[in-house]
Amino acid sequence: MQYHFHAPIITFHDTSLSDLAQLTVPVALVVIPSEQKAAWLQSDAGHDLALADSLGRPLERQVGAQWQQLVFLPEQPVKGTKLYQSIRDAAALVANLPCSELALHLEGFTPAAATLLSELLLQALLSARIPLPSSKHGSEPRPVFTTIHCSPAVTLSLPALLGEVEGNGLARHLAAMPASELGASQYRQRVRELAAKEGWHCHEWDQRELALRGAGAFLAVARGAEDDGAAIVHLRYAPANAGSKVALVGKGICHDSGGYNLKINGGMYGMHLDMGGSAVALGTLLAISRAGLPIEVDCWLAIAENHIGPRAFRPSEVVTAANGKTIEVVDTDAEGRMVLADTLVLAAEQAPDLLIDYATLTGACKRALGSRYSGLFCNRPEWLAELVEIGQHSGERVWPFPLDEDYDDTLKSDWADLLQCAPGASCDHIDAARFLSHFVPATLPWLHIDLSGFRHKGGHGVVSSEITGFGVRLTLALLAQSRFIANRAV
Ligand SMILES: [Zn+2]
């Protein structure tokens, strides 16, 4: 179950629709403005199509040796949920066909619209072709695309486009790996190999080193596992031309049993996805590195398993985190904030310009938002409106929640500096964010993303699989706005 992304050769030509079938490409996706649909169906060329359309069938035709799939998209496309749904639907019409060569032709769009649609369709097509790991017999993976011919000739940054597809694909691949194949040690092995291949600096803070550093919150969770696989893995991509530095932190619980607060009533099923946040951090690093963006990235993966065993941590223990704060444990199933606490402390010590953490953290966030959005917390409230808008445009939507200090009232402990979480019913997604804020200096701009959207039937943005890799695309979109990473002196 190795992850290999095969980037196709993508070429751009100013081919006309009438010349399209002259290309020796068996399948073409032909995109026409929706506003021209009626006229198109009434024309001679559209005669058979009008019948198919009235029957609600895909609009397809054979031209010479070429099979053409027609789709209609808005003449003036605006990035948003509706457009992304149309893009995923359009890509699905051809992504599942067993062809390795494809033509993508846009007819009758302005250069700006053609550029936007080409970019989104290419991303959706390539993402849909990335096979997720499967142990099922007889499931033949579809061939990879070797060549895609695009017309008209638009200008796209292919390294950035392909980097995003590859990074998101990595995040989805790792998340889909079953717990039996991706335990903490196996995950670390993969990360080590990837770092060597990509030329990233890699340091694994193992449990001995973390004990010396006083990372008692992380180690409390690590204790339950039968091996010493848990570690905080630090990766660094440092291009010579870097203008700013970003830290990406991810929760990497390879399997979450809940610990002594054991998950019941089927709640443990699917808990191999609890490392999704770390997969997003790693996938984002890969995307940035492949695109060669001039940003230094410190990526921190909090890799552990939350198990029961003779040494596993228990409610009512008091542990001390790496910044000296003492924590009274309330619920061992709130392990994510424990491993993140120490990881955030280590990440903040490297003085990044911006710190982002990703975690499949709370059921409360999912109850509040469903899986169409992920929860957003930010210690720069004046950024929230713009971040929400970036989410809408990227197709990975985030919605803000408060991070006011007075929420700390529910985290007051009789015996320690902090309660790990509020006993009983509470707005746990906000409590969790407040808890984490005690491990991030107020001077450091920080975003916390509670990944309620990590798993969503139908997908998000340009990605159609249920495991979405939510966060890679959003982060790339927000890092493209330099104001979020040029605030060193805030
Ligand atoms: Zn848990």
Side-chain angles (χ1 to χ4, degrees):
M1 293 189 185
Q2 283 301 321
Y3 175 67
H4 292 294
F5 174 70
H6 299 267
I9 295 164
I10 301 177
T11 58
F12 296 91
H13 312 271
D14 276 324
T15 310
S16 69
L17 180 56
S18 52
D19 288 343
L20 186 64
Q22 305 303 317
L23 293 173
T24 54
V25 182
V27 175
L29 179 63
V30 178
V31 187
I32 299 156
S34 316
E35 290 78 359
Q36 296 174 21
K37 184 172 176 180
W40 235 81
L41 296 183
Q42 279 160 18
S43 71
D44 287 350
H47 183 70
D48 293 341
L49 301 172
L51 179 63
D53 190 51
S54 67
L55 295 171
R57 296 202 179 128
L59 306 183
E60 55 199 16
R61 64 181 191 177
Q62 188 78 29
V63 183
Q66 190 176 72
W67 182 82
Q68 296 184 349
Q69 175 69 58
L70 308 187
V71 295
F72 295 85
L73 291 174
E75 196 162 21
Q76 291 180 320
V78 177
K79 281 184 179 177
T81 316
K82 209 170 156 192
L83 180 64
Y84 282 113
Q85 183 66 57
S86 308
I87 293 286
R88 293 195 298 272
D89 291 347
L93 291 168
V94 295
N96 288 320
L97 300 173
C99 59
S100 54
E101 267 193 275
L102 179 75
L104 170 62
H105 178 79
L106 290 100
E107 181 71 18
F109 289 93
T110 63
T115 304
L116 173 61
L117 292 175
S118 298
E119 181 184 10
L120 298 181
L121 285 164
L122 281 170
Q123 288 175 319
L125 285 163
L126 296 174
S127 295
R129 272 289 173 98
I130 293 177
L132 292 183
S134 169
S135 306
K136 196 189 276 212
H137 287 105
S139 63
E140 292 285 304
R142 286 153 294 178
V144 296
F145 285 124
T146 53
T147 314
I148 301 181
H149 304 262
C150 298
S151 48
V154 296
T155 307
L156 295 176
S157 167
L158 287 180
L161 186 153
L162 294 168
E164 182 185 318
V165 171
E166 182 171 4
N168 168 275
L170 173 68
R172 290 186 290 140
H173 181 98
L174 289 170
M177 296 271 298
S180 44
E181 304 262 340
L182 196 82
S185 301
Q186 294 150 308
Y187 192 4
R188 283 169 61 188
Q189 176 69 29
R190 276 174 183 261
V191 172
R192 208 177 295 139
E193 286 166 9
L194 183 64
K197 186 166 151 248
E198 300 296 326
W200 303 329
H201 159 87
C202 174
H203 178 79
E204 296 170 62
W205 289 73
D206 62 18
Q207 290 170 64
R208 193 184 49 83
E209 223 174 324
L210 288 171
L212 290 172
R213 183 60 187 76
F218 182 94
L219 290 171
V221 177
R223 259 196 263 146
E226 54 274 19
D227 64 8
D228 57 358
I232 297 175
V233 180
H234 174 205
L235 302 165
R236 175 173 286 165
Y237 160 73
N241 58 347
S244 49
K245 178 153 93 168
V246 175
L248 309 175
V249 170
K251 170 184 173 184
I253 299 294
C254 294
H255 183 263
D256 182 13
S257 68
Y260 276 116
N261 289 97
L262 201 63
K263 288 181 184 289
I264 55 163
N265 293 334
M268 208 187 297
Y269 181 56
M271 278 302 134
H272 64 297
L273 292 178
D274 217 14
M275 38 61 72
S278 65
V280 169
L282 186 64
T284 306
L285 167 64
L286 181 62
I288 290 171
S289 162
R290 281 298 166 95
L293 300 185
I295 303 170
E296 186 173 327
V297 182
D298 276 319
C299 180
W300 300 83
L301 313 175
I303 297 177
E305 299 177 42
N306 189 24
H307 282 185
I308 52 174
R311 294 162 60 229
F313 79 136
R314 299 152 297 178
S316 299
E317 288 192 16
V318 173
V319 299
T320 306
N323 65 347
K325 292 217 168 150
T326 54
I327 303 162
E328 183 183 357
V329 177
V330 174
D331 188 324
T332 61
D333 198 9
E335 82 295 339
R337 67 199 75 181
M338 300 291 281
V339 297
L340 286 174
D342 283 333
T343 312
L344 289 170
V345 170
L346 295 182
E349 279 172 357
Q350 300 295 322
D353 299 311
L354 175 67
L355 172 60
I356 310 177
D357 81 75
Y358 315 86
T360 49
L361 200 62
T362 67
C365 192
K366 206 154 185 175
R367 284 191 291 280
L369 291 175
S371 55
R372 294 180 189 278
Y373 276 74
S374 289
L376 171 69
F377 298 83
C378 181
N379 64 356
R380 296 289 182 277
E382 65 275 19
W383 288 2
L384 288 171
E386 200 177 338
L387 291 168
V388 167
E389 197 182 318
I390 289 170
Q392 308 279 351
H393 285 174
S394 74
E396 294 182 346
R397 290 174 289 171
V398 285
W399 198 251
F401 289 102
L403 195 59
D404 300 86
E405 270 180 34
D406 56 340
Y407 278 95
D408 280 356
D409 287 351
T410 50
L411 297 179
K412 283 198 175 117
S413 163
D414 290 338
W415 325 104
D417 297 330
L418 268 176
L419 272 185
Q420 175 207 24
C421 49
S426 79
C427 46
D428 188 46
H429 51 317
I430 300 172
D431 291 344
R434 275 305 310 170
F435 175 86
L436 294 177
S437 76
H438 289 267
F439 304 92
V440 179
T443 49
L444 171 57
W446 168 54
L447 308 182
H448 160 57
I449 301 177
D450 196 329
L451 291 173
S452 45
F454 192 72
R455 183 176 197 169
H456 179 70
K457 264 204 167 58
H460 290 298
V462 290
V463 174
S464 53
S465 60
E466 182 173 342
I467 295 173
T468 60
F470 187 113
V472 176
R473 183 171 170 80
L474 171 74
T475 307
L476 294 170
L478 79 86
L479 291 180
Q481 307 291 321
S482 58
R483 82 185 209 87
F484 295 115
I485 45 175
N487 283 271
R488 199 183 273 274
V490 165

